[in-house]
């Protein structure tokens, strides 16, 4: 296949380009990092890029929690307007296969169980609780402690910040495109992707990049809250392999299918910081008790559907991946 990879010069996109080439496909990079004219919000540029293309792997996006609500318009422009322009171009060009870079942030908090009330959905955490160091969300019915678990793709969505809202809107746009055109759309809901080539020293990068950048400066990684918040850290090469599997699969026509894309091996943020610091040989992490209001406490998902339906599985283990990441360069170093 000839595959247009938007964001193909970026952290994840560049790995997807390599994986596509290794599997005999012809990737076409479309990225403002490679060419400032390659903006997904430009209908004419998108139309030209789609010439002769069989499928699109849409990775271009403004990512991360950001620096406040002041950049909401930029998120919506880059992520949602850009996706709408791209999908319109695909509809006009007759391109009927899409793989979208989705995100686990669409769920908000993960899955929680109360001993008395079963599966519950806690609301956003209160500022007073966070200020007091009460980071675990209580049962919304009785206030009791909750046990976190794995969230499945059929869980209700509950985006808690601007970035999360735009990622969910991307899925809705892709679903509408699929229904209107008879195309097939897959959203890979990435978990915490890390690995060589992550951008450094930017408020839009992931937590692994923050910690790795601090170590490169000779500083201790600063861990928010109490460091016990749970995440699924998945290696970028495994994410790239998931994209290839989704592109090559026979997907349902006229619909969007979402797949959680995680390692299946959750760890706390504190564990990740300690593993990375040990592998790098840098200072021990410092647990600060600070927080970001848009963050959720625990979010780890069940990737069984992706493994079962597309035959994909994560190959890079946590210790191996962190050791490699500690010794690899970051984008911008």
């Amino acid at each position: 296949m000839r595959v247009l990879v938007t964001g193909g010069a970026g952290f994840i996109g560049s790995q997807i380009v390599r994986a596509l080439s290794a599997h005999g496909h012809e990737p076409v990079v479309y990225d403002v990092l490679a060419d400032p004219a390659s903006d997904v919000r430009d209908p004419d540029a998108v139309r030209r890029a789609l010439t002769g293309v069989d499928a699109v792997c849409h990775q271009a996006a403004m990512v991360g929690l950001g620096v406040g609500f002041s950049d909401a318009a930029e998120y919506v422009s880059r992520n949602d307007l850009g996706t709408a322009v791209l999908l319109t171009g695909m509809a006009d060009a007759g391109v009927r296969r899409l793989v979208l870079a989705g995100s686990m942030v669409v769920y908000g908090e993960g899955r929680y169980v109360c001993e008395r009330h079963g599966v519950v959905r806690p609301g956003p955490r209160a500022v007073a609780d966070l200020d007091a160091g009460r980071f675990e969300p209580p049962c919304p019915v009785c206030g009791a402690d909750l046990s976190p678990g794995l969230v499945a793709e059929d869980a209700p969505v509950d985006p808690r910040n601007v970035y999360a809202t735009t990622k969910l809107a991307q899925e809705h746009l892709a679903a509408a495109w699929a229904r209107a055109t008879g195309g097939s759309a897959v959203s890979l809901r990435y978990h915490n992707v890390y690995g060589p080539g992550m951008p450094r020293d930017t408020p839009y990068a992931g937590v692994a990049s923050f910690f790795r950048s601090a170590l490169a400066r000779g500083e201790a990684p600063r861990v928010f809250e109490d460091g016990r918040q749970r995440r699924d850290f998945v290696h970028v090469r495994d994410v790239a392999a998931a994209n290839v599997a989704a592109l090559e699969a026979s997907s349902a026509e006229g619909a969007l299918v979402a797949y959680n894309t995680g390692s299946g091996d959750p760890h706390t943020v504190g564990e990740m910081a300690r593993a990375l610091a040990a592998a790098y040989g840098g200072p021990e992490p410092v647990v600060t008790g600070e927080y970001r209001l848009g963050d959720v406490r625990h979010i780890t998902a069940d990737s069984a559907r992706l493994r079962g339906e597309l035959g994909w599985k994560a190959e890079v283990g946590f210790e191996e991946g962190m050791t490699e990441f500690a010794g690899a360069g970051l984008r911008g170093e």
Side-chain angles (χ1 to χ4, degrees), residues 21 39 115 153 180 185 217 225 233 248 257 274 299:
S21 296
D39 192 323
E115 286 188 359
E153 289 89 350
R217 296 191 300 268
E225 301 186 17
F233 299 98
E248 293 179 342
V257 180
R274 290 190 294 273
I299 177 64

Side-chain angles (χ1 to χ4, degrees), residues 44-133:
D44 293 333
V46 167
R47 184 182 67 252
R48 291 191 295 270
L50 287 167
T51 302
V53 163
D54 302 302
V56 172
C57 189
H58 184 30
Q59 306 296 310
M62 185 175 179
V63 301
L65 187 58
V67 294
F69 200 83
S70 60
D71 47 17
E74 190 71 7
Y75 271 109
V76 172
S77 175
R78 291 183 180 275
N79 295 356
D80 299 336
L81 175 60
T83 298
V85 170
L86 175 66
L87 293 171
T88 300
M90 291 174 64
D92 293 343
V95 180
R96 297 292 182 262
R97 183 175 289 272
L98 170 72
V99 175
L100 172 68
S103 175
M104 53 82 180
V105 295
V106 301
Y107 298 117
E109 287 285 357
R111 185 177 187 271
Y112 292 87
V113 176
C114 172
E115 286 188 359
R116 291 179 57 192
H117 298 101
V119 176
V120 295
R121 297 279 299 175
R125 294 179 292 175
V127 172
D129 286 339
L130 295 170
D131 285 341

Side-chain angles (χ1 to χ4, degrees), residues 4-10 28-50 58-61 78 82 85-86:
L4 183 70
V5 184
T6 70
V28 178
V29 174
Y30 187 86
D31 195 315
V32 291
L33 292 175
D35 178 2
S38 296
D39 192 323
V40 289
R41 297 169 294 183
D42 184 335
D44 293 333
V46 167
R47 184 182 67 252
R48 291 191 295 270
L50 287 167
H58 184 30
Q59 306 296 310
R78 291 183 180 275
V85 170
L86 175 66

